[in-house]
Amino acid sequence: MKKVVLIGPVYPYKGGIAHYTSLLYQALLRKYEVELISFQMQYPKFLFRKEQKDYRNDMFRVSEAQFLINTANPINIILTAQKIKKKKPDLVILQWWHPYFAPCYWILETMLGKKIQKMFVCHNVFPHERFPMDKLLTKMVLKKANYFIVHSHSDGIDLITIKPDAQFRQNPHPTYHAFRLRGITKIQARQELAKDPEEKLLLFFGFVRDYKGLRYLIQALPQIKKELDTVKLMIVGAFGNDKEEYLQLIKSCDVEDCVEVTDGYTPDNEVEKYFAACDLVVLPYESATQSGIVQIAYGFEKPVIVTNVGGLPDVVIDKKTGYVVAPRNPQQLAQAVIAFYKEDMAEKFVENVRKEAYRFSWDRMTEKVEELLQNE
């Protein structure tokens, strides 16, 4: 049995990549001997001022995880690399999502040497919010790796721009079923949230950032409100410093009566009620590579509206598992929401989401890792 060392954030760290690392670990265990190494310190506080950890729910906890890496301490990184090298792994798998980790990973790769195979799981090759030097930093690290998994066609193209001979497999972001802790029904979830069982309920979920295009969804609401009775948008996620701008936009669009804002990080054990309660999840992104939110939605068998950017059209089949619309286009967003309800598409979309389950399974993800290793 091959020995694998998996590197990435995991509980108690917050966020989708920590969830992903935990589920990937569980999937790899079915095929390999796996050790999970996480971060002793992920981001310095001056770079990431919000709380990085959440101890309120341990559903993604990996008791075997070793918290060894201080990403800002070169001596610590060298010592960690030496520990990994002593384990003599056949493969080291690293999570990649932001060039902040470039110096840390470059030291790790260099110290591990060329004999140990290295694979990067690229959640996005380049960061969502680009900055000077990001491509150079990314190239510095990724060019030293042997294999790659990307989750979208656009990321595959980005990867080739910095490593033309990259050996990689494209695999959709696997589904997050783990949030279905209680298996509550839509009616039960709506009772918990004090929602009308007959209400038409939309969900925007996750950190609110400019590139996620929430403003266009808000601007679509007047048209949606005009065509549909009792429609409501739940905005569930942590805002930055621009929350007041969104509240003013809601007010100026005269949709305060059909918007409910839940500001702040959502603990893992509270995610279920929002997805179980809604009819439709909306991602009006201006740019994207892929999104774990789609896979949470699919885990609850919920259809999705996405924009035609990055890898989102790779995972949402237009008019089958949801709708794909143009970015920055409130009118198309509105038309998709209205069509969903007026044409009574819910049952058909849910059936198609179920049919796509294997394509988004963690077993399929493991198969892609195996394919690359068999090419040695």
Side-chain angles (χ1 to χ4, degrees):
M1 180 178 286
K2 289 185 180 292
K3 185 182 292 186
V4 173
V5 171
L6 176 63
I7 296 175
V10 73
Y11 169 90
Y13 286 106
K14 297 194 296 187
I17 296 174
H19 302 148
Y20 184 108
T21 305
S22 171
L23 295 172
L24 178 59
Y25 171 77
Q26 299 295 338
L28 291 171
L29 274 178
R30 295 194 281 270
K31 294 281 185 179
Y32 306 108
E33 179 184 338
V34 188
E35 289 196 37
L36 175 55
I37 294 177
S38 191
F39 302 116
Q40 185 185 107
M41 193 281 291
Q42 184 174 224
Y43 299 111
K45 288 185 178 179
F46 75 92
L47 287 180
F48 196 93
R49 297 183 184 281
K50 295 182 180 179
E51 178 55 54
Q52 298 179 43
K53 298 179 180 180
D54 180 16
Y55 293 91
R56 286 173 286 181
N57 180 259
D58 65 353
M59 59 183 282
F60 288 98
R61 181 176 183 177
V62 178
S63 58
E64 300 85 0
Q66 303 170 61
F67 296 87
L68 301 181
I69 302 172
N70 182 323
T71 61
N73 185 331
I75 301 301
N76 164 276
I77 299 165
I78 291 169
L79 292 174
T80 302
Q82 290 174 346
K83 289 179 183 178
I84 294 171
K85 202 168 183 179
K86 287 178 181 177
K87 300 175 189 294
K88 298 182 178 178
D90 298 288
L91 179 68
V92 174
I93 302 177
L94 305 99
Q95 310 301 305
W96 176 261
W97 70 99
H98 197 280
Y100 163 76
F101 295 92
C104 170
Y105 283 169
W106 185 86
I107 295 170
L108 274 174
E109 289 178 297
T110 303
M111 294 303 298
L112 289 174
K114 294 183 178 180
K115 290 185 179 180
I116 295 177
Q117 304 290 292
K118 305 162 196 76
M119 177 185 293
F120 277 93
V121 176
C122 297
H123 298 268
N124 38 265
V125 173
F126 301 125
H128 293 300
E129 296 165 306
R130 301 295 299 270
F131 63 89
M133 302 285 289
D134 61 2
K135 186 170 184 178
L136 179 63
L137 289 166
T138 300
K139 183 176 182 179
M140 178 179 82
V141 174
L142 297 192
K143 72 177 183 179
K144 294 170 73 71
N146 305 95
Y147 310 112
F148 304 87
I149 299 287
V150 297
H151 290 321
S152 69
H153 178 69
S154 60
D155 262 336
I157 292 172
D158 285 343
L159 177 62
I160 289 172
T161 66
I162 59 174
K163 190 175 172 69
D165 61 345
Q167 294 189 55
F168 72 95
R169 292 290 183 274
Q170 180 184 328
N171 191 70
H173 190 304
T175 299
Y176 289 145
H177 291 99
F179 288 102
R180 299 183 74 165
L181 293 171
R182 296 177 290 153
I184 57 175
T185 65
K186 180 185 286 188
I187 292 174
Q188 290 169 330
R190 291 190 175 202
Q191 286 174 342
E192 289 186 20
L193 293 169
K195 301 295 181 190
D196 185 333
E198 302 303 318
E199 200 168 39
K200 297 173 177 65
L201 205 55
L202 312 175
L203 175 63
F204 175 97
F205 188 88
F207 291 111
V208 179
R209 299 291 182 266
D210 280 346
Y211 74 88
K212 294 189 177 182
L214 175 59
R215 60 176 57 85
Y216 302 106
L217 179 55
I218 294 169
Q219 291 166 357
L221 284 175
Q223 186 178 345
I224 296 169
K225 180 181 172 182
K226 181 179 177 181
E227 296 286 337
L228 301 173
D229 296 326
T230 63
V231 66
K232 182 154 287 185
L233 168 64
M234 296 187 294
I235 301 172
V236 182
F239 287 78
N241 297 325
D242 52 1
K243 179 181 178 181
E244 192 57 37
E245 293 178 25
Y246 287 99
L247 295 179
Q248 286 297 322
L249 180 60
I250 292 167
K251 185 175 181 179
S252 66
C253 290
D254 192 26
V255 291
E256 291 172 289
D257 60 328
C258 58
V259 178
E260 181 180 284
V261 175
T262 303
D263 184 13
Y265 177 78
T266 306
D268 295 339
N269 60 348
E270 293 183 19
V271 170
E272 180 175 20
K273 61 186 178 185
Y274 296 108
F275 281 86
C278 75
D279 302 310
L280 191 60
V281 180
V282 187
L283 289 79
Y285 290 13
E286 297 179 32
S287 64
T289 47
Q290 45 81 34
S291 174
I293 304 301
V294 174
Q295 300 308 334
I296 298 176
Y298 282 173
F300 286 91
E301 297 181 343
K302 299 293 179 176
V304 184
I305 296 176
V306 299
T307 48
N308 188 19
V309 296
L312 297 181
D314 296 345
V315 293
V316 177
I317 305 173
D318 190 36
K319 297 182 178 62
K320 288 191 175 181
T321 64
Y323 297 97
V324 180
V325 303
R328 303 178 181 89
N329 194 317
Q331 185 177 1
Q332 285 196 20
L333 283 168
Q335 289 171 348
V337 172
I338 293 164
F340 174 77
Y341 287 108
K342 286 197 170 183
E343 297 172 19
D344 198 20
M345 299 298 287
E347 189 174 331
K348 175 186 174 182
F349 282 0
V350 168
E351 181 182 345
N352 288 331
V353 169
R354 289 172 182 157
K355 288 178 181 177
E356 290 289 301
Y358 172 70
R359 187 160 75 99
F360 301 116
S361 69
W362 288 95
D363 286 340
R364 190 172 187 269
M365 174 69 177
T366 307
E367 288 172 10
K368 296 300 179 181
V369 174
E370 286 186 288
E371 285 178 17
L372 286 166
L373 288 179
Q374 287 169 1
N375 288 337
E376 288 185 45

